[in-house]
Structure formats: structure tokens, C-alpha cells
Amino acid sequence: MLDILHRVGIKASSDEVYKALATRDGLAAWWTTNTQGDSKLGGVIKFRFSVDGREIGGFDTKVLELRPAERVLWQVIEGPPEWIGTKVSFDLKQEGEFSIVLFKHAGWKEPVEFMHHCSTKWATFLLSLKQLVETGKGAPSPGDLQISNWH
Amino acid sequence: MLDILHRVGIKASSDEVYKALATRDGLAAWWTTNTQGDSKLGGVIKFRFSVDGREIGGFDTKVLELRPAERVLWQVIEGPPEWIGTKVSFDLKQEGEFSIVLFKHAGWKEPVEFMHHCSTKWATFLLSLKQLVETGKGAPSPGDLQISNWH
């Protein structure tokens, strides 16, 4: 199994970062504005993405762990075949003025081109999370950074 | 062995992207301004990084493959212990108006925190490469985007 890994440091408390990871409003402000469903433990969150006003798909994730200021873990239950069954985690720790986010999207079966794409997109969305928590304004889809012909 | 993967699409020809990957001047304009050495086949390129005017280290890479408009492959021969022996490759292909870069930093032994950091930094440097080729101006170190307390 293959994993996508990232690390960002956010000038904020881990409590503030956790809020952006564990609530629907938080997630909608850095990943995709079209975030629906239930972000509580055991709930299913529905993330949908649009390009030029047209919905192009998304992911449903089940919330497996919620540890305030420490950890959020989801499992993907609907979405592109490569994503189904994979797990997405955010581990938080404080280092001085920075809240460190260790990100993992675990359980990819093959290093397909789509995995390369998702790795780069995750980096840009984690920088959107950083921007949201530090400045109050992230860059969620559909206003996210275009990195290629796959958007 | 573990790999860092990324994919970006650059509105340019693969010839132009290749120039930014296969020449010292190109590399200095998106990765680090302090790029020395020999970028020809079999040569060793020396990349050095500074923070606040102080050199903090870098990498020496041996050029193992150079296929114009298609592929660049390096092996890291000096640098942080986790990097030594790893291979960095850039595979290029044209898709319509985009030159697609498939990036791989292969051969990490453990998923250490530094690997998480380097994965995110590579994403930002590949976006600097994209910006350089599309606009003529990248964001190489020391003017690179700060993503955390590790810079």
C-alpha cells in the first residue's frame, strides 16, 4: 500500500486548526465549499467539486476518529475507485508558535497518475488550510489553484 | 521503499519545461538560486539553500539520464542522510496545450516527518517551475514559499 504524506506548519493553536478539520464549516472554507453531511464521529461527510459551475464528482468520508487538537481520521466510502477504502488522517502537534499538521492519505493500491495528481492537490489544499487559519480566508474549490489540465 | 509523487501541467511545450530541468540556469530559476556544478550527463549539480542569508545545507545530485523533452533523472550523492541514494525523476509528456510533469522522488527508507515536509516542499517547487515556464518568473529559494517552522 502507498501513502501520500505532507507536513505544514500553521501559526495558530492546534485547537484552531482542529476546528477547521472537524467541522463542516471549517472544511468548506479550505477544501470545497460544497461540503455536506455530518462531521461528527461515525458521521458521513460529502465533499463535492465543481469546475465552471458543473459538478465533477467528489468523495464521501466516514469519520473514524476525532481527538480534539490532536487527530482527525476519515475513511473514504464513496468516490473514484482508487479512493474507496483509503484513509485520510491529520495529526496535530504544537511546536512553538506553529501547529504542525502531519497529513497522510493512506492505502493507495498503485502509484497511478491520479495519485501523483492528488498528492500535489493535497499540498495546495493544505496550504489553503494554513491560509484559512492564519488569515481567515482559504482557497477552497471551486476557487482553488489550478495545477494542470486535470485542474 | 517509499516515493514522493507529484503531477503538474504547464501551459508550454515539453521542450521549454525540459530546458528548466536540464540546465543550471533553469534549475536556479525555480528550485534554488544557489545552483552550481555541471548539469550535463554524468555531471554533479550542487543545490544549496539559505534562510535569512545563512546557508542551511543542500543536495548534490548526479545526472543519470537526460532525454530532451522526455525525462531527467538524478541520483542524490550528498545531502541529508535520508536523501542519499534516492533518485529524483521528471517525466514529461504533451497533452494538448499542457506539458505534463510526472515527478518522483524515489527510495525513501522510512516515512519520517522530514519525508512529509519534503513532499509538500516539492509540490511548491513544482508550482514554482510551472510559474517560471508560464510567466518567466519562478519562486526559487531563498524567495520560496514558507510552509512551516522548517521553512
Side-chain angles (χ1 to χ4, degrees):
Chain A
M1 290 295 191
L2 308 167
D3 305 339
I4 293 170
L5 306 174
H6 286 296
R7 180 187 190 276
V8 295
I10 301 176
K11 278 189 186 166
S13 72
S14 292
D15 281 326
E16 290 171 89
V17 177
Y18 179 79
K19 240 179 271 168
L21 296 172
T23 67
R24 207 172 64 180
D25 286 353
L27 293 162
W30 67 267
W31 196 18
T32 176
T33 55
N34 191 347
T35 298
Q36 308 292 335
D38 174 9
S39 64
K40 292 195 295 291
L41 194 66
V44 172
I45 318 174
K46 293 168 181 289
F47 301 99
R48 295 294 177 273
F49 297 81
S50 300
V51 172
D52 301 330
R54 192 173 48 89
E55 194 176 296
I56 54 161
F59 318 104
D60 292 359
T61 68
K62 188 169 181 182
V63 181
L64 298 190
E65 265 188 78
L66 282 181
R67 285 170 23 208
E70 284 184 8
R71 181 170 164 85
V72 171
L73 172 67
W74 305 323
Q75 182 154 35
V76 180
I77 59 173
E78 284 290 348
E82 297 92 339
W83 277 55
I84 292 177
T86 60
K87 290 183 178 175
V88 177
S89 59
F90 304 84
D91 284 285
L92 308 179
K93 60 178 175 177
Q94 202 74 33
E95 287 186 5
E97 61 179 348
F98 285 90
S99 170
I100 305 299
V101 182
L102 292 178
F103 169 88
K104 180 156 77 168
H105 184 178
W108 288 75
K109 289 193 185 74
E110 300 287 341
V112 291
E113 194 165 336
F114 185 47
M115 182 180 171
H116 292 65
H117 169 74
C118 292
S119 175
T120 315
K121 282 302 280 192
W122 273 125
T124 66
F125 282 120
L126 290 165
L127 292 169
S128 165
L129 166 68
K130 174 176 166 69
Q131 198 183 313
L132 168 69
V133 177
E134 291 181 351
T135 73
K137 194 166 163 45
S141 171
D144 54 321
L145 184 70
Q146 181 172 355
I147 64 166
S148 75
N149 54 340
W150 288 358
H151 198 117
Chain B
M1 290 295 191
L2 307 167
D3 305 339
I4 294 169
L5 306 175
H6 287 295
R7 180 187 189 275
V8 295
I10 301 176
K11 278 189 185 167
S13 71
S14 292
D15 281 326
E16 289 170 271
V17 177
Y18 179 79
K19 240 178 271 170
L21 297 170
T23 65
R24 207 172 65 180
D25 285 353
L27 293 162
W30 68 267
W31 196 17
T32 177
T33 55
N34 191 347
T35 297
Q36 308 292 335
D38 174 10
S39 63
K40 290 195 296 291
L41 193 66
V44 173
I45 318 174
K46 294 168 179 290
F47 301 98
R48 294 296 178 272
F49 297 82
S50 300
V51 171
D52 302 330
R54 192 172 48 89
E55 194 176 298
I56 54 161
F59 318 104
D60 293 358
T61 68
K62 187 168 180 181
V63 181
L64 297 190
E65 265 189 78
L66 281 180
R67 286 172 19 209
E70 285 185 9
R71 181 170 163 86
V72 171
L73 172 68
W74 305 323
Q75 183 154 36
V76 179
I77 58 173
E78 284 290 346
E82 297 92 338
W83 276 56
I84 293 176
T86 60
K87 290 183 179 176
V88 177
S89 59
F90 305 83
D91 284 286
L92 308 179
K93 60 179 175 176
Q94 202 75 31
E95 287 186 4
E97 61 180 344
F98 285 90
S99 170
I100 305 299
V101 182
L102 292 178
F103 170 87
K104 181 156 76 168
H105 184 179
W108 288 75
K109 290 195 184 72
E110 300 288 339
V112 290
E113 195 165 337
F114 185 48
M115 183 179 169
H116 293 65
H117 169 75
C118 292
S119 175
T120 316
K121 282 302 281 191
W122 273 125
T124 66
F125 282 120
L126 290 165
L127 292 170
S128 165
L129 167 68
K130 174 176 168 66
Q131 197 183 314
L132 168 69
V133 177
E134 290 181 352
T135 72
K137 192 167 164 46
S141 172
D144 53 323
L145 184 69
Q146 182 171 356
I147 64 165
S148 75
N149 55 340
W150 288 359
H151 198 121

